[in-house]
Amino acid sequence: MNRSSTIQYTDAAVIGAGVLGCFAARALTALDIRVAVIEQREDVSTGITRANTGIIYTGCDNRPGSLKAKMCAEANRGFEDLCRDLGVRFSRCGSLMAAFGPRAEKVLYKKLGFGEENGVEGLKILSRKEVLELEPGISADVTAALYAPGTGTVDPWELGIAAFENAKANGAEFYFGREVKHMEREEGGFLLETERETFHARTVINCAGLSSDAVREMLMVPSVRIFPTAADYLVLDDTVNGYVNHVIFHEPEEKGKGLTLVPTVDGNLLVGPTDRDLLSASPGATDREGLKELEELCGKIVPDLPISEQIRNFSAIRPNSYNVTKKDGVWIPTDRSINDFTILSEEGLISLIGIKTPGLSCAAELGKHAAGLAEEYLGHPGPNPCFDPVRKAPPRLHGMQEEDRAALIKKDPDYGRIVCLCGDISYGEVRDAIRRGAVTLDGVKRRAGTGMGRCQGARCIKEIIGMLAKAQSVLPEDVTKDGAGSEILEVQP
C-alpha cells in the first residue's frame, strides 16, 4: 500500500484515546520512552467512555480469583488518591443492592461472599427496616439489601480527560483524526499506517474499544470478538437531588438486568440501564420501549421519585466479548460471553478487548497493567525522571467559595461573565475548555459542563458555537455537536 509522507518514530503506540487508552498513555509516560496515542476521532473519550453509569465498584460483583476482582478491589481502595492527583471529583456515596424477595436475597448473600473473599470492607446485609432508614424513598416492599459503603461515583468524561491531560503533560503525543488503516510487523517492532502518517513503534497497546478486535486481527487470527448490545438511560434534573442518596442496584426477583439509580457528582440522578439488541441502523439511538421500561421500574422501586423531571435520555453500547470458533468458514461466538477482562499480550502487541464493567473503575489499573507488559517487552527502560502524576484541575465556578470566586474574577474578568445559566458556567471556563482541546460542542460540554442543565444548551449554544468557530478559524456552520456529520447550523441557499 502507499506509505504516508510523514513518518513518526515512537517506542510505544497506543491505539484509541478513550479512558483506557489515556490511562495506558499516562502509565507509559512514567517510563523513559516515547509515547504516541493514535485516535480516530477528533477528541478523547468519544466512544464507550462517553456513556456509562460512572459507578466506581467495590469488587463484590466479581468472582474471586478473577483479574476483575483483584483489580476492582485494589482500584476502589485507591480511588480517592487517584482523583486527588488528577483533580477529579469523586463521591463515595455507598450503594445498596436491594432485594424484593427470596431469589434476590440469595444473590445478595452470594455477592457478600464474593466481596468478603475479595477483601472488600464494610459489607453488610441490611434488614428492611435498616434499608428504609438509609433510603426512605425506596419501596416498602424491599426485603433486604447488601450495603457497600465503598461504592462511589465519578464523571467518566472528567476522569478520561484528566488522564489525557496528565499523559500529555508528561510527554505523550496525541494524534487525532487518524484511523489506523493498516498494521504489520517489521524488524524491531510494528508499522502502523494512517492517512496522514506512518508510525514505527516498538510496541503497540490496542485500546480501540469497539474496534479492538478488528485492530488485533490486522496481525492475528481471530480468537476473541466483540458482539455489542445497547443500553438506555434517563437523566433527571438536579431538582431531584436528595430523593436517592446511595447508588441503588435493584436485584430483580425474576432474572434480568434490574434497575440502577446513580446520584451523580453533578447532582443529577442517572437511571438505567436497559439491556437490548443493538439497533444497527442507528447505534446511538435510544429505544422507546426501553425508556418506558425504565420509567415503570422507577415507579416500583422508588415510587415517589418525580420521574417527569427528565432532562435527557441517551444510549450506550456494551462491548460484550466472546471466544470465537470457525464453522463453515465463518467465525461464530461460543455460548457464553467472557466474564473476565481480556488482555492479550502477543509479541509486543497488547490488546484490551471488550473491557466493560468495571472497566471505568479499573481504568488506571488496566493502564498500569498494559504499560507493565509493554515495559517488560521493551527490556525494562528506566523511569521518566520528569514524570509528575499530578494534574491541576481547571477552575470551576459552581460551588466555589465566594471569596475565591471574587479573587478569580478580579484576576481574570472572563470568569465573571456567565455563559451557561443552568450550570453557572462562565465564559472563562468555556474558553479554557477550548484551549484544553475541545473542538466540538460536546467537547466543551465534557470539559466545562455546558449544555447539561435543564435547558440542554438552548441558551448558551449560540455563544459557544461562535467561540469554537473563532478558535478554529472556521465558519459557525462548520462547528459540529460531536464530530463529522453532526453539524448544527444549515446554510440556506
Side-chain angles (χ1 to χ4, degrees):
M1 63 183 298
N2 294 327
R3 300 298 182 211
S4 302
S5 58
T6 304
I7 297 177
Q8 300 289 345
Y9 292 92
T10 188
D11 294 305
V14 180
I15 303 176
V19 68
L20 294 181
C22 290
F23 270 109
R26 178 178 184 255
L28 287 166
T29 59
L31 305 173
D32 191 16
I33 61 174
R34 294 164 296 177
V35 180
V37 184
I38 308 168
E39 167 57 43
Q40 179 179 353
R41 291 287 302 274
E42 72 289 336
D43 200 357
V44 299
S45 300
T46 57
I48 297 171
T49 306
R50 71 178 178 82
N52 66 62
T53 56
I55 298 172
I56 304 305
Y57 293 85
T58 60
C60 61
D61 289 300
N62 309 121
R63 190 170 295 279
S66 66
L67 188 59
K68 277 187 178 182
K70 179 183 176 182
M71 280 192 176
C72 192
E74 188 171 344
N76 183 281
R77 284 191 290 269
F79 222 83
E80 275 101 349
D81 292 339
L82 176 69
C83 290
R84 183 179 61 250
D85 282 349
L86 291 177
V88 171
R89 295 169 296 162
F90 173 58
S91 169
R92 199 176 285 281
C93 54
S95 65
L96 296 171
M97 180 176 286
F100 291 80
R103 178 198 166 274
E105 287 184 26
K106 289 181 180 178
V107 175
L108 302 191
Y109 281 96
K110 178 182 176 181
K111 302 285 182 164
L112 174 65
F114 281 4
E116 290 177 341
E117 195 168 340
N118 291 336
V120 180
E121 298 179 353
L123 299 177
K124 182 182 178 183
I125 299 291
L126 303 182
S127 66
R128 173 182 175 277
K129 179 182 178 182
E130 290 172 316
V131 174
L132 291 172
E133 286 175 353
L134 286 179
E135 287 289 353
I138 202 167
S139 169
D141 293 333
V142 66
T143 58
L146 173 61
Y147 175 52
T151 303
T153 63
V154 71
D155 183 331
W157 307 337
E158 192 175 333
L159 185 66
I161 290 167
F164 153 65
E165 292 182 355
N166 188 235
K168 187 176 180 182
N170 281 302
E173 296 184 346
F174 284 76
Y175 297 83
F176 294 107
R178 274 82 159 177
E179 179 182 358
V180 176
K181 299 284 190 179
H182 175 77
M183 179 168 59
E184 64 185 59
R185 291 188 183 273
E186 63 179 6
E187 185 177 354
F190 301 83
L191 181 148
L192 299 89
E193 190 81 15
T194 74
E195 292 180 350
R196 298 164 67 177
E197 291 100 358
T198 296
F199 292 85
H200 296 272
R202 295 168 62 198
T203 184
V204 174
I205 298 182
N206 169 18
C207 298
L210 291 173
S211 300
S212 56
D213 52 356
V215 167
R216 177 183 177 273
E217 288 170 26
M218 290 180 181
L219 296 178
M220 312 295 293
V221 173
S223 63
V224 176
R225 280 190 173 172
I226 295 171
F227 296 85
T229 53
D232 303 297
Y233 292 89
L234 300 172
V235 182
L236 275 59
D237 195 14
D238 57 11
T239 54
V240 307
N241 192 11
Y243 276 86
V244 173
N245 299 306
H246 303 76
V247 175
I248 295 179
F249 301 107
H250 159 229
E251 179 60 39
E253 193 60 16
E254 300 295 330
K255 286 189 176 182
K257 186 66 180 172
L259 183 73
T260 302
L261 298 105
V262 185
T264 72
V265 293
D266 288 306
N268 303 94
L269 187 68
L270 183 64
V271 179
T274 58
D275 188 12
R276 58 176 173 80
D277 292 337
L278 185 65
L279 302 175
S280 57
S282 51
T286 53
D287 178 68
R288 188 182 299 274
E289 290 302 314
L291 299 176
K292 181 180 178 182
E293 175 189 339
L294 293 177
E295 291 181 357
E296 290 175 351
L297 276 172
C298 276
K300 295 176 182 178
I301 307 305
V302 189
D304 294 330
L305 180 69
I307 196 66
S308 61
E309 293 293 295
Q310 297 173 39
I311 58 173
R312 189 174 184 82
N313 57 61
F314 65 91
S315 72
I317 297 177
R318 191 174 287 113
N320 308 303
S321 58
Y322 288 78
N323 290 312
V324 292
T325 183
K326 200 170 188 179
K327 183 177 181 181
D328 299 328
V330 178
W331 293 97
I332 60 173
T334 52
D335 292 340
R336 291 189 176 185
S337 64
I338 300 170
N339 289 323
D340 206 353
F341 290 142
T342 301
I343 304 174
L344 304 176
S345 182
E346 300 155 307
E347 299 178 9
L349 174 63
I350 302 156
S351 297
L352 288 74
I353 301 180
I355 304 296
K356 57 180 185 178
T357 305
L360 181 70
S361 306
C362 300
E365 295 299 320
L366 286 161
K368 286 190 287 187
H369 183 82
L373 294 172
E375 179 184 9
E376 183 177 353
Y377 183 77
L378 293 173
H380 298 281
N384 175 4
C386 300
F387 177 74
D388 183 356
V390 176
R391 169 257 192 189
K392 185 179 179 181
R396 183 184 295 272
L397 252 66
H398 188 69
M400 187 181 288
Q401 295 292 328
E402 285 300 323
E403 58 270 24
D404 295 332
R405 185 169 179 146
L408 179 63
I409 293 171
K410 183 178 180 180
K411 183 178 179 181
D412 187 342
D414 280 352
Y415 290 103
R417 181 155 70 87
I418 301 300
V419 172
C420 174
L421 297 176
C422 298
D424 190 27
I425 299 164
S426 67
Y427 184 95
E429 290 166 272
V430 176
R431 179 204 65 197
D432 292 348
I434 295 171
R435 288 177 178 175
R436 288 162 51 215
V439 294
T440 65
L441 273 174
D442 279 2
V444 173
K445 176 175 73 173
R446 291 170 190 139
R447 289 168 173 83
T450 52
M452 293 184 65
R454 178 172 283 273
C455 86
Q456 289 291 290
R459 289 181 287 193
C460 62
I461 186 172
K462 181 179 178 181
E463 185 163 10
I464 297 173
I465 287 175
M467 293 173 71
L468 283 164
K470 182 178 180 181
Q472 298 173 60
S473 300
V474 299
L475 296 173
E477 54 264 34
D478 294 325
V479 174
T480 66
K481 179 182 183 297
D482 194 24
S486 62
E487 289 76 13
I488 300 157
L489 303 178
E490 181 178 353
V491 179
Q492 296 296 328

